Amino acid sequence: MYLKRIEIQGFKSFADPVSIDFKEGVTCIIGPNGSGKSNISDAMRWVLGEQSARTLRGGKMEEVIFAGTENKRPKGMAEVTLVLDNGTGVLPIDYTEVAIKRRLFRSGESEYFINSNQCRLRDVRELIMDTGIGVDGYSFIGQGRVDKIVSDKPETRREVFEEAAGIIKYKGRKAEAQRKLESAEGNLNRMNDIILDIESRIDGLKIESEKAREYAGLSERYRESEINITLKNIENLQRKNAELKLQFDEAAAAIEDARSRRVAADTQLSFLRKRDEALELTGNDLRGRIAENVTRTANVKNEALLSDERRRGVERDKLRLAEETEGLKRKIAAEEERLKGLLAAKAVNDAGRFALDEELRAKTEAAEVRAEAARASAKGLEAKRDAAFEMS
Ligand code: ATP
């Protein structure tokens, strides 16, 4: 397995996409101070899952995204892809070329990919585990640490190379095996102690075993006695059971008898109930009719009282009318008397009026005679006056 290529875009000083090919074997990157060499190793650490911004020489993780320069605007996302040759199959994945990619957005959202398939950081870690290229190992020796390693104690130096060579994991396994061995030894010692303890208790156990055997014999006898007692009990119970069965049969017959009597009683009861219901209906009908009659009687009584009252009123009216008739009769008699007087007076008046009419007629005739005479004398005078007038 070896590093084939790294592609960087928007990461630290690499604003635009950059692809650096690494040929198999020793490769180095040279450049003036501040040209971005360390940024490349930071990119490698980062893409392999580095979580410490400080290790990447920054304050916050977002600072790895290109921050912009005088001529270039800041980027919104950093992306690094590490392409590894897996021809030897060191990485536990069925690809001869493996591309591990990490992306970070300014929002803080982070994404990982293995061969363009999105995955978790854990998947990336599991992929490179035990290959010596993890960020926690010594595959990455940061600037300034080389001096320290060279001048360190030989054991520390050895650790560095062992880690870089991937030996540390075997050392870890050896330590784990040793720990397990020690624990097994401890267990063995404890077992020996237990065996010694048991051996010291063997005599006592022999006596106890004797007692146990005796106990087993006694238990056996006890069990036999118990079986005999139980058999006796079973016999007694069977006898009792037979007696109880007899009693039960008698009781069952009595129950059956009671049941049939109960059925008869139920039939009688239902007949009586029906009759009771019929009587109840008749009673209700009679009660209704009685109530009707009572109402009718009351109405008749009321009407009789009203008729009495009316009859008394009629009698009172009859008396009053009789009195009034008497009064009218008296008035008629008085009026007839008065009429008689008036008729007598009328007859007198009629006689007087007849005499006066006769007198008026006689006087009218006399006045007629005198008026004729006057008219004749007036005519004579007229003739005289006309004659006189003619003569003049
Ligand atoms: P030296 O030899 O001093 O270690 P170097 O070649 O390793 O230098 P780096 O330290 O990798 O260089 O790069 C430093 C440069 O990267 C600086 O110019 C710095 O301004 C730039 N830089 C770092 N982070 C960012 C960022 N987020 N955005 C833009 N530029 C950045």
Side-chain angles (χ1 to χ4, degrees):
M1 178 190 68
Y2 63 90
L3 174 62
K4 279 179 95 173
R5 192 168 64 253
I6 182 163
E7 292 162 8
I8 311 173
Q9 178 182 354
F11 185 88
K12 289 212 169 179
S13 55
F14 298 96
D16 299 320
V18 170
S19 175
I20 304 166
D21 288 315
F22 292 83
K23 300 294 172 203
E24 193 173 359
V26 181
T27 307
C28 73
I29 299 168
I30 56 168
N33 283 350
S35 61
K37 304 182 296 292
S38 299
N39 287 349
I40 296 172
S41 69
D42 288 344
M44 289 187 191
R45 279 184 164 280
W46 186 71
V47 71
L48 292 174
E50 180 58 66
Q51 295 300 301
S52 159
R54 232 155 56 93
T55 309
L56 299 168
R57 302 177 299 141
K60 285 189 286 178
M61 194 50 96
E62 283 77 40
E63 284 174 19
V64 303
I65 301 170
F66 177 70
T69 60
E70 264 183 37
N71 306 320
K72 273 197 187 304
R73 295 176 49 174
K75 295 282 176 190
M77 176 194 82
E79 182 182 295
V80 175
T81 310
L82 205 62
V83 183
L84 299 163
D85 183 281
N86 191 33
T88 52
V90 171
L91 296 174
I93 186 168
D94 285 339
Y95 289 94
T96 51
E97 187 176 279
V98 179
I100 302 169
K101 179 159 52 183
R102 180 176 181 181
R103 269 186 199 153
L104 180 72
F105 297 88
R106 283 214 180 274
S107 59
E109 193 188 334
S110 191
E111 292 175 350
Y112 293 88
F113 298 84
I114 295 174
N115 284 358
S116 305
N117 295 318
Q118 190 158 6
C119 61
R120 299 162 303 173
L121 168 59
R122 209 174 124 190
D123 300 320
V124 174
R125 286 201 170 138
E126 273 175 13
L127 181 70
I128 59 173
M129 203 196 312
D130 287 345
T131 58
I133 61 168
V135 291
D136 301 328
Y138 284 86
S139 302
F140 290 91
I141 299 171
Q143 196 176 22
R145 287 197 62 204
V146 178
D147 281 356
K148 194 168 173 288
I149 292 164
V150 171
S151 60
D152 242 335
K153 287 185 272 175
E155 302 85 59
T156 320
R157 248 196 327 270
R158 190 182 160 156
E159 265 179 28
V160 171
F161 293 117
E162 281 179 347
E163 167 59 36
I167 292 171
I168 287 291
K169 82 177 170 199
Y170 297 109
K171 288 185 91 178
R173 284 181 193 164
K174 185 183 163 193
E176 176 67 19
Q178 269 173 340
R179 260 199 313 279
K180 281 185 183 161
L181 204 61
E182 276 164 22
S183 148
E185 266 172 8
N187 286 343
L188 206 61
N189 288 339
R190 271 198 299 284
M191 287 297 290
N192 282 335
D193 289 347
I194 292 165
I195 289 166
L196 280 175
D197 181 45
I198 289 170
E199 273 173 357
S200 70
R201 282 163 51 199
I202 275 179
D203 283 345
L205 286 172
K206 267 183 189 158
I207 298 165
E208 275 178 28
S209 154
E210 271 307 312
K211 281 186 186 164
R213 212 169 286 138
E214 200 181 328
Y215 171 78
L218 287 171
S219 288
E220 182 58 25
R221 277 177 59 196
Y222 175 75
R223 213 169 60 83
E224 277 170 11
S225 309
E226 224 175 22
I227 287 168
N228 287 335
I229 290 167
T230 310
L231 285 172
K232 204 82 190 144
N233 282 346
I234 288 170
E235 231 173 68
N236 286 344
L237 284 172
Q238 275 170 343
R239 213 182 34 253
K240 217 166 194 170
N241 192 21
E243 279 170 20
L244 285 172
K245 194 168 175 336
L246 268 178
Q247 284 176 18
F248 175 80
D249 288 345
E250 278 170 20
I255 287 170
E256 199 43 53
D257 181 44
R259 207 170 270 151
S260 54
R261 272 189 293 163
R262 163 82 193 269
V263 169
D266 277 350
T267 315
Q268 180 76 8
L269 186 69
S270 84
F271 167 73
L272 288 172
R273 236 177 232 145
K274 272 189 196 128
R275 217 173 64 178
D276 191 41
E277 277 166 16
L279 285 172
E280 180 72 27
L281 283 175
T282 315
N284 283 346
D285 185 40
L286 284 172
R287 268 194 288 278
R289 274 156 64 185
I290 287 167
E292 222 172 80
N293 284 338
V294 166
T295 315
R296 231 181 267 155
T297 311
N299 287 343
V300 169
K301 264 184 193 166
N302 280 343
E303 268 173 27
L305 284 173
L306 274 175
S307 297
D308 266 6
E309 187 53 40
R310 256 185 240 132
R311 189 178 46 75
R312 278 196 292 277
V314 167
E315 274 172 5
R316 277 198 299 277
D317 285 349
K318 210 170 126 187
L319 276 174
R320 184 171 50 77
L321 286 172
E323 279 168 11
E324 276 178 15
T325 309
E326 276 307 309
L328 285 173
K329 273 183 185 166
R330 280 195 298 276
K331 261 187 192 170
I332 288 166
E335 286 298 316
E336 275 175 355
E337 275 308 306
R338 202 160 64 88
L339 188 62
K340 271 184 196 164
L342 285 172
L343 285 173
K346 188 181 173 258
V348 172
N349 277 346
D350 283 347
R353 192 167 50 89
F354 183 74
L356 283 174
D357 282 345
E358 280 301 313
E359 190 183 327
L360 181 61
R361 198 172 45 81
K363 281 182 180 172
T364 305
E365 281 176 5
E368 280 289 330
V369 171
R370 276 197 301 277
E372 196 56 46
R375 272 190 304 269
S377 72
K379 251 181 193 170
L381 280 174
E382 193 81 24
K384 281 180 189 169
R385 194 181 47 112
D386 287 340
F389 191 66
E390 280 174 13
M391 280 191 307
S392 58

